[in-house]
Amino acid sequence: MASNNMPVSDKPSGSPSEPLLIDDGEELSAWLSKKGNEGSVVRTRLKASDRVIARVTDGIYRQPSSALRELISNAWDADANHVTVLTDAPRFSRIYVRDDGSGMSYETLSRLVHSIGGSSKRTEVGQKLGVSSPTDPDRTPGGRLLIGKIGIGLFSVSQLARRFRVITKVKGNDYRLIAEIRIRAYSEDTADDAARDEDDNYISGDVLITRESAADVGAHGTDIILDEVKPRVRDMLRSADRWQAVDEREASEAEGETEAAPVPEPKYHTGWIEHLSSANDVPVVLSRPPKLPWTAETPADMRMSALIDAIERESKVTERPDLVKTLDTYLETLWTLALSVPVGYVDKHPFDLTSESGIGLFWISNEAKKGQASELVLKPGQTVRDAVREQVAGHPELEEGKPTAAGDFHVTIDGVELKRPIRFKFVKTSTRGFDKAMLFVGRFAPNLQRVDSDQRGGGLALEGYLFWNGMIVPKENNGVLVRIRGTAGALFDPTFFKYQVSEQTRLRQITSELFIRRGLDAALNIDRESFNFSHPHVQLVALWLHRAIRQLTNKHKDLSKRSRADKIEQTALASRDALVKHSEAVWSTRQGSDPIPEVTIAVGRSEAEAARAEGYMAIARVDLPSLAGPVSTQERADRDAKTKALLRVLAAFDVLEDLAYDEQEALVEAILKIFFDPAGQ
């Protein structure tokens, strides 16, 4: 439970007589403000600001996680520090969400139910209501960047249940507000839509609100209680379709039928109830017990780490493990929410990585055409953000991930504290490539003053990173994830905003996040999970991302080339060293303790004569076509090493002892021609 100590009221939410109906927002606010109305029930009706927003009640979200994401984002905007979500998994008949945020006053609640899609956040109204900072309407009173803007977060609950309760309280108030909300489905048939107002607003349901006296004046926060989750939502969360297919396959196999399509059960799951009773008080009979990647003793803040450990272990079984095959829908929902909401990382924020992480660090250039990423040096103990500030021109400050006055944000679902399941550790897949991961970081805030105000869509500012690794685990983490003010509506986009250049291998090795500090949310569609690609901000973000990818791939190619050259050189050195050791061993075997001759390959005859005068065994390169031909530096070094080893072996067997120098060279050249092209090609 959260720390706001707000008890859930069991008081009936209505009187025997018909509650007073108040449809005007100001009148409703005035009624709720009066202490004399405590214990009484007032009825009002939900109103959407236009026909599009009314569609909220019909299903704009694709998954239950999307609706929960909106509620958690609302808690962030309310400066909450803890959000607790409880379900009765694996039944999923109830969902309970509690936060210890600032709560809603009667003015805020009244405005909310009468203006779906008309959010007061980031406005002067929001400042007056206390939902925005008095000095910056773009931030919460605690200094966080506000996520909400459209004003439909609370009504995302309608995707989970048609009826629910909201209990909310502001710190210092001696009352709490209890609202029972009943959503109705929106109809396109205006002939059947008797609830349409003359001002073209659409009523989307009823609300019964009670003002209740509260002795716990210091308590604050909001509870949302869903007692009757929609049947289809329950089936989605409990993976009903998948488990039924598994059961059918097993039944077919038991009867000797082998043609049934293989449907593997998830490796980790929360359990399966084949016969689900609609009554909450009926005992649960599990058809399959849960199989979770943690134990009952695992602390809440370590369970996401255990979940990603389980996924990473799958990389030993399959090259690119995925979530769908490994997790049931519920665990996948936890993963999705952990990626979507503004919580911390399983390990560290990428900007807080240090030299101990073993990464190569690069700064992304904003130069349009010829920009190249520049390498930065991480000193011992120095973070990425400190290295950027110290080594990049202009001393840029990476703001993403820094603490705010509102404090940390923790979200716990059924005893699992959500943490962003992205790790920045190197995964080596073969002997080729690098021996460390690479992190490319940058920021982008284009000057749009020259763009017509009607076209530019406001200001734009972002920070971002691209993390190259040998392999991305799971494969769903491959791509780019766009976070607007800390939250992400969609998952990773593996196309990287439709990057056109063919870099399939490298693209599959990149995890990227873009932290949008200002702008882009105007380009969000109403589901907050897709973009209007014609919006200028989307185009600018795509251009920056594609530029960053080009810089990464160029740097990667350059470093790969160097790495291959270094490895070839190392291999050649090892081979040459082996030749020396072999020839010296032959000499010692044949000549005992006599000194091993030192061999040199001189450029010309006079240099060879001088070397012999100093006691060297020497030959002139000019007289040996196999050594004088036009070959690469690497090949020349290899041929020289083999020639020197050959001379030692021949000398060890006394083959050269009675031969003149020109005959020695002729013998050596004859042997070399067997192995080398005399033309040097």
Side-chain angles (χ1 to χ4, degrees):
M1 302 290 285
S3 60
N4 58 358
N5 299 317
M6 283 180 55
V8 175
S9 174
D10 293 323
K11 184 175 180 178
S13 57
S15 60
S17 59
E18 184 67 21
L20 175 67
L21 174 63
I22 301 178
D23 263 348
D24 181 78
E26 291 186 4
E27 290 181 15
L28 177 62
S29 180
W31 190 94
L32 292 173
S33 69
K34 296 177 181 178
K35 189 173 181 64
N37 287 327
E38 284 182 357
S40 299
V41 180
V42 64
R43 175 172 169 256
T44 190
R45 291 179 291 185
L46 300 175
K47 291 186 179 181
S49 59
D50 57 37
R51 196 180 190 92
V52 175
I53 301 298
R55 289 181 180 273
V56 173
T57 64
D58 284 340
I60 62 170
Y61 299 116
R62 300 177 179 90
Q63 298 293 334
S65 59
S66 303
L68 291 172
R69 177 198 71 218
E70 295 301 317
L71 296 181
I72 293 169
S73 296
N74 276 355
W76 166 274
D77 285 351
D79 280 335
N81 296 116
H82 297 88
V83 181
T84 301
V85 180
L86 299 176
T87 74
D88 58 344
R91 289 174 59 102
F92 300 107
S93 59
R94 299 174 178 174
I95 296 178
Y96 175 94
V97 181
R98 159 171 288 194
D99 71 63
D100 62 353
S102 55
M104 288 183 282
S105 66
Y106 54 80
E107 297 102 327
T108 303
L109 181 62
S110 177
R111 179 179 174 83
L112 180 67
V113 299
H114 284 151
S115 186
I116 304 175
S119 175
S120 61
K121 297 174 183 178
R122 309 196 215 175
T123 66
E124 292 183 3
V125 174
Q127 290 178 301
K128 292 178 181 178
L129 292 175
V131 299
S132 303
S133 166
T135 59
D136 185 353
D138 219 30
R139 292 181 179 269
T140 70
R144 293 172 176 167
L145 285 171
L146 280 163
I147 295 172
K149 182 178 182 181
I150 300 175
I152 60 174
L154 181 61
F155 295 90
S156 62
V157 182
S158 67
Q159 308 305 296
L160 306 175
R162 289 293 184 199
R163 301 178 63 167
F164 55 94
R165 282 183 293 160
V166 177
I167 304 173
T168 187
K169 184 181 180 301
V170 176
K171 185 176 182 179
N173 287 350
D174 61 356
Y175 67 90
R176 60 176 44 84
L177 299 174
I178 303 172
E180 183 172 319
I181 301 174
R182 298 177 293 194
I183 304 288
R184 74 172 181 83
Y186 177 77
S187 173
E188 285 285 358
D189 189 348
T190 56
D192 295 335
D193 193 3
R196 188 177 71 173
D197 282 358
E198 293 181 359
D199 62 358
D200 206 33
N201 283 337
Y202 288 80
I203 299 169
S204 305
D206 295 318
V207 186
L208 298 175
I209 306 177
T210 305
R211 170 174 167 149
E212 184 181 84
S213 177
D216 50 346
V217 176
H220 55 92
T222 299
D223 294 6
I224 300 174
I225 304 156
L226 295 77
D227 286 323
E228 299 178 8
V229 176
K230 293 178 181 179
R232 185 54 193 160
V233 173
R234 296 179 69 181
D235 283 347
M236 290 175 67
L237 287 171
R238 68 194 196 98
S239 305
D241 292 345
R242 184 173 182 178
W243 281 117
Q244 288 166 0
V246 170
D247 289 346
E248 290 172 2
R249 182 207 68 198
E250 292 183 352
S252 297
E253 291 175 350
E255 295 176 0
E257 298 179 12
T258 59
E259 296 181 0
V263 181
E265 66 177 65
K267 294 190 176 181
Y268 300 96
H269 55 84
T270 190
W272 164 238
I273 306 171
E274 182 178 2
H275 303 292
L276 186 63
S277 171
S278 59
N280 292 328
D281 56 352
V282 174
V284 173
V285 179
L286 284 169
S287 306
R288 298 173 188 265
K291 182 182 178 182
L292 300 169
W294 55 76
T295 66
E297 290 72 33
T298 305
D301 63 348
M302 294 298 296
R303 293 190 176 188
M304 283 301 300
S305 181
L307 182 60
I308 195 170
D309 286 345
I311 299 296
E312 289 177 348
R313 284 195 296 270
E314 291 302 303
S315 64
K316 299 177 181 178
V317 180
T318 181
E319 183 177 355
R320 298 188 75 204
D322 58 50
L323 299 179
V324 175
K325 294 180 181 177
T326 310
L327 308 178
D328 69 354
T329 302
Y330 172 70
L331 293 178
E332 197 175 345
T333 296
L334 297 187
W335 185 286
T336 300
L337 280 171
L339 280 177
S340 303
V341 300
V343 294
Y345 288 80
V346 166
D347 296 325
K348 280 186 176 181
H349 192 290
F351 295 166
D352 292 324
L353 295 175
T354 62
S355 59
E356 286 70 26
S357 64
I359 60 170
L361 179 60
F362 302 85
W363 179 254
I364 299 167
S365 169
N366 285 332
E367 188 178 345
K369 294 183 178 180
K370 298 182 179 180
Q372 296 293 325
S374 55
E375 187 167 5
L376 307 181
V377 178
L378 273 176
K379 301 174 182 177
Q382 187 179 45
T383 66
V384 167
R385 65 178 82 244
D386 288 341
V388 167
R389 184 175 57 247
E390 178 184 283
Q391 300 175 43
V392 176
H395 308 290
E397 190 73 45
L398 295 174
E399 299 292 339
E400 187 65 31
K402 285 187 174 182
T404 66
D408 293 337
F409 187 65
H410 302 275
V411 179
T412 303
I413 300 181
D414 294 333
V416 180
E417 182 179 344
L418 299 186
K419 293 190 176 182
R420 208 166 290 175
I422 306 173
R423 278 183 171 153
F424 304 96
K425 67 178 185 180
F426 180 58
V427 178
K428 191 176 182 65
T429 57
S430 68
T431 56
R432 298 181 180 181
F434 305 131
D435 57 359
K436 63 180 179 181
M438 298 190 297
L439 182 69
F440 290 73
V441 298
R443 60 186 303 186
F444 181 53
N447 184 352
L448 303 178
Q449 293 303 314
R450 295 182 180 179
V451 181
D452 188 276
S453 59
D454 294 334
Q455 300 294 323
R456 65 172 175 255
L460 176 67
L462 66 85
E463 298 173 355
Y465 75 84
L466 287 81
F467 180 72
W468 178 90
N469 206 350
M471 181 171 64
I472 303 300
V473 179
K475 69 179 183 182
E476 285 86 352
N477 278 14
N478 169 223
V480 60
L481 184 66
V482 179
R483 297 189 180 281
I484 299 178
R485 298 166 175 264
T487 190
L491 298 180
F492 285 93
D493 169 18
T495 73
F496 292 89
F497 276 56
K498 301 179 180 178
Y499 186 65
Q500 296 298 318
V501 181
S502 179
E503 291 283 356
Q504 293 304 313
T505 299
R506 289 184 177 88
L507 289 183
R508 286 198 299 268
Q509 296 173 316
I510 299 174
T511 290
S512 175
E513 290 181 275
L514 303 185
F515 308 108
I516 309 299
R517 306 288 296 175
R518 180 158 48 94
L520 194 63
D521 52 354
L524 277 172
N525 292 324
I526 194 171
D527 61 359
R528 297 184 66 84
E529 297 179 6
S530 58
F531 292 102
N532 171 9
F533 278 86
S534 65
H535 195 282
H537 284 186
V538 177
Q539 297 172 24
L540 285 168
V541 169
L543 285 172
W544 185 87
L545 175 64
H546 295 171
R547 182 187 308 150
I549 293 174
R550 284 195 295 272
Q551 292 181 33
L552 182 152
T553 55
N554 288 341
K555 185 65 68 174
H556 188 276
K557 290 174 182 177
D558 181 53
L559 294 176
S560 294
K561 185 176 180 180
R562 292 188 206 173
S563 178
R564 286 194 297 270
D566 289 344
K567 288 182 178 179
I568 291 172
E569 177 64 22
Q570 291 170 7
T571 302
L573 288 173
S575 176
R576 294 170 205 156
D577 186 56
L579 285 172
V580 171
K581 290 180 179 178
H582 171 70
S583 61
E584 289 180 348
V586 172
W587 174 272
S588 298
T589 300
R590 300 291 302 181
Q591 301 294 332
S593 59
D594 285 356
I596 299 173
E598 295 187 45
V599 182
T600 185
I601 300 175
V603 176
R605 296 184 184 92
S606 59
E607 290 86 356
E609 291 174 0
R612 292 178 190 126
E614 295 181 5
Y616 287 90
M617 180 182 292
I619 56 175
R621 187 183 301 277
V622 69
D623 292 329
L624 282 79
S626 294
L627 299 183
V631 295
S632 67
T633 303
Q634 183 74 48
E635 178 64 19
R636 182 179 299 279
D638 288 344
R639 292 188 179 194
D640 286 358
K642 290 175 182 178
T643 302
K644 291 179 180 180
L646 173 62
L647 285 166
R648 287 195 193 94
V649 170
L650 292 174
F653 281 87
D654 298 323
V655 173
L656 305 177
E657 186 173 353
D658 297 326
L659 297 178
Y661 293 129
D662 57 346
E663 292 180 325
Q664 291 180 9
E665 291 177 340
L667 173 62
V668 170
E669 174 63 17
I671 296 173
L672 293 180
K673 281 185 178 181
I674 298 174
F675 304 105
F676 306 145
D677 181 350
Q681 300 300 319

